[in-house]
Amino acid sequence: MNYRSTQYFKLLIATSISVFAFHVTVHAEEIRLIPKWSSSSSEPNIILLEPTVFINGKDSGAYAGPRPPIDTAHTKAIANPKLISVIAVKDNKPYPVEITKIEAKSSPIAANLRIVLPKAPDKNMHYLVTIPVGSVAYVSPLPSGVTVGDTHQPLEIKGDIQVHNDFLTSTQSTNKAALRQGSKSGTIDFSYLLQYPLGDPIAPTGAVHASIDANASFNAAERHRYFDKIEAELGAYAVHVFGENSTNNAIVEYGLSSKLQADQQFDKIDQTLGVNTWIYPNADPFPWIYRNVCLFGEKPDFALPPRIIFGYDYVFHENNDAVTTSFDGNQRLSGRFDWTLPIAHHLAIKDVPIVDSIREIELVTDISGIYDINKGKAAPEIHLSLDFVLSDSDKSPTISFSYINGKSAPKFENVDAFLAGFKLKF
């Protein structure tokens, strides 16, 4: 262990890995650099150093003065990333973290420093940042009465690491399997995605992906009561970030995809070729809704965006054995909106049997639709679930209560059912 790590270790023991104090004196109004896991950048593993205003020692939000407070032309931390250090702590042991680069991102009202790490943080670690005095330059003069807080001691990185890591994969379908019981039969739902980024792995310019989604009934004779669908997709897309340097931004992916859609018995098989656009908006009002729909427990540190999909497909009807459907045109428009919202977050209920096991309650919304251009017909498809997460472990099953309604490709049969069962992410 080098000298710097030893010093960190002594400091950690002395403070018992608690939230660190990082200023010497409290002025009426101070600017401090507050590190947080970023959820608004196209680069996945970012610690955002955001200038934050403290009034009489209380956090009053991000600095929004007439000009950026950081003088990026004279910021030594940009010229020499070794001036800023990051450590991860586990079992009271510090582990130095590699820094890929440090860069400045400016907007009309603020300037942030971004520490880029080579990989995502470990949710079982506790992360700290040290910024030596003088390594960051501020514009001069600052507004009257505003001073710069002392940040030479280790700063705890704010934000939920698990939520941050979830955001990194929010542009991908969640791999999951669900076993649920309806009024007549049980069902299995399965989703799996493989994705390979193109370009810089930290900030990919595109990707190719392959996925499979299946909804099937245990009893083939009752499959018409539930969504009866197996869909395999292969596609490629480019990635663009709108408003990258703003808190109001969106990740937009656009590209080509081909789908193979079949029912459980492969009586009906369609193949499609089309263009699609995936949008992940991280702009108001979505972050506000995400935080304020949480009624119990702690408010989330930051918001995960919904996924909005638009597409056009040309359809090849490969097999129609014993299946008739009025959706037999060759051109389709499609749309989808899915978003998982936290109704309860980080619950800590005690001494109430069963209820005290609940850690999270999530409302899962997945609403989609297909419009047959040739036939002039629309087919909505609705999946709504209330999921009760009973463990902090990602590998533990979730209790799920669901409602499904609508019509699903390729058979487009009417479905209206309630389901209850278990869901497992992997």
Side-chain angles (χ1 to χ4, degrees):
M1 181 180 296
N2 57 32
Y3 173 77
R4 177 176 291 181
S5 297
T6 302
Q7 293 301 105
Y8 283 137
F9 181 72
K10 291 179 180 179
L11 180 59
L12 294 171
I13 293 297
T15 57
S16 302
I17 318 300
S18 61
V19 177
F20 287 86
F22 52 93
H23 64 282
V24 175
T25 60
V26 176
H27 301 274
E29 187 169 346
E30 257 183 353
I31 295 177
R32 306 179 193 172
L33 281 180
I34 303 299
K36 60 181 66 177
W37 297 112
S38 172
S39 63
S40 60
S41 170
S42 61
E43 294 179 297
N45 311 306
I46 299 292
I47 300 170
L48 181 67
L49 292 169
E50 184 174 57
T52 303
V53 176
F54 280 72
I55 299 177
N56 295 327
K58 294 183 179 180
D59 187 337
S60 297
Y63 178 83
R67 55 181 175 167
I70 296 177
D71 184 356
T72 56
H74 299 90
T75 297
K76 297 178 182 178
I78 302 298
N80 184 4
K82 294 183 179 180
L83 289 177
I84 290 181
S85 60
V86 179
I87 60 170
V89 182
K90 185 176 183 180
D91 298 329
N92 289 345
K93 295 181 180 179
Y95 300 90
V97 176
E98 179 185 354
I99 297 175
T100 301
K101 61 181 177 179
I102 299 177
E103 59 186 11
K105 291 293 182 179
S106 300
S107 70
I109 61 171
N112 301 316
L113 297 181
R114 303 199 305 172
I115 303 174
V116 183
L117 305 182
K119 60 182 181 180
D122 185 337
K123 69 175 183 178
N124 297 313
M125 293 282 198
H126 178 80
Y127 289 81
L128 303 168
V129 174
T130 297
I131 309 169
V133 174
S135 62
V136 176
Y138 293 84
V139 296
S140 181
L142 286 170
S144 177
V146 177
T147 59
V148 176
D150 185 2
T151 61
H152 72 281
Q153 296 189 38
L155 313 179
E156 184 177 26
I157 302 174
K158 295 182 178 293
D160 187 315
I161 290 179
Q162 183 58 51
V163 173
H164 171 267
N165 290 344
D166 286 344
F167 176 85
L168 303 185
T169 57
S170 65
T171 58
Q172 306 174 14
S173 299
T174 301
N175 297 333
K176 63 179 177 65
L179 297 175
R180 295 178 290 187
Q181 179 67 39
S183 60
K184 298 292 184 179
S185 174
T187 69
I188 180 170
D189 300 331
F190 180 83
S191 297
Y192 188 74
L193 172 73
L194 289 174
Q195 185 163 253
Y196 182 77
L198 301 175
D200 186 347
I202 293 181
T205 56
V208 293
H209 74 266
S211 66
I212 184 168
D213 289 278
N215 304 102
S217 173
F218 292 142
N219 184 350
E222 298 291 340
R223 65 186 187 277
H224 64 281
R225 297 180 179 273
Y226 312 104
F227 289 128
D228 182 11
K229 177 181 180 179
I230 300 173
E231 180 178 278
E233 180 177 356
L234 180 65
Y237 56 83
V239 178
H240 184 75
V241 180
F242 290 91
E244 179 181 358
N245 301 325
S246 169
T247 55
N248 289 316
N249 59 75
I251 300 174
V252 178
E253 303 168 351
Y254 45 93
L256 304 174
S257 69
S258 178
K259 306 183 188 76
L260 188 65
Q261 298 172 331
D263 68 305
Q264 187 173 342
Q265 299 296 99
F266 292 92
D267 294 327
K268 180 75 169 75
I269 301 175
D270 289 340
Q271 185 173 355
T272 72
L273 179 64
V275 293
N276 298 275
T277 299
W278 296 264
I279 304 171
Y280 305 87
N282 192 33
D284 293 331
F286 295 109
W288 183 90
I289 294 172
Y290 187 93
R291 293 185 180 92
N292 287 279
V293 78
C294 184
L295 303 177
F296 308 99
E298 303 175 7
K299 295 287 186 183
D301 292 301
F302 47 76
L304 300 182
R307 177 174 61 170
I308 303 171
I309 304 175
F310 298 103
Y312 165 83
D313 290 307
Y314 189 87
V315 185
F316 304 89
H317 300 287
E318 303 293 346
N319 187 31
N320 292 291
D321 291 349
V323 175
T324 59
T325 173
S326 59
F327 289 81
D328 57 1
N330 295 106
Q331 298 185 79
R332 295 175 182 169
L333 298 177
S334 61
R336 183 176 180 181
F337 178 92
D338 68 82
W339 201 11
T340 298
L341 296 169
I343 303 302
H345 180 61
H346 285 181
L347 287 179
I349 301 173
K350 298 181 179 180
D351 303 323
V352 180
I354 301 179
V355 176
D356 59 7
S357 299
I358 300 174
R359 296 292 179 265
E360 314 276 336
I361 301 176
E362 297 175 338
L363 175 63
V364 182
T365 61
D366 190 346
I367 301 172
S368 59
I370 290 175
Y371 181 74
D372 189 319
I373 297 176
N374 301 109
K375 298 297 182 178
K377 291 181 175 292
E381 183 179 339
I382 298 173
H383 297 251
L384 300 175
S385 296
L386 195 62
D387 293 351
F388 295 84
V389 182
L390 305 181
S391 172
D392 295 326
S393 172
D394 297 333
K395 298 181 179 181
S396 297
T398 294
I399 296 176
S400 181
F401 298 93
S402 305
Y403 172 69
I404 57 176
N405 180 275
K407 300 176 181 180
S408 176
K411 294 173 66 176
F412 296 99
E413 295 179 321
N414 284 307
V415 169
D416 187 20
F418 287 94
L419 302 168
F422 297 92
K423 184 184 296 182
L424 181 65
K425 297 179 181 180
F426 58 91

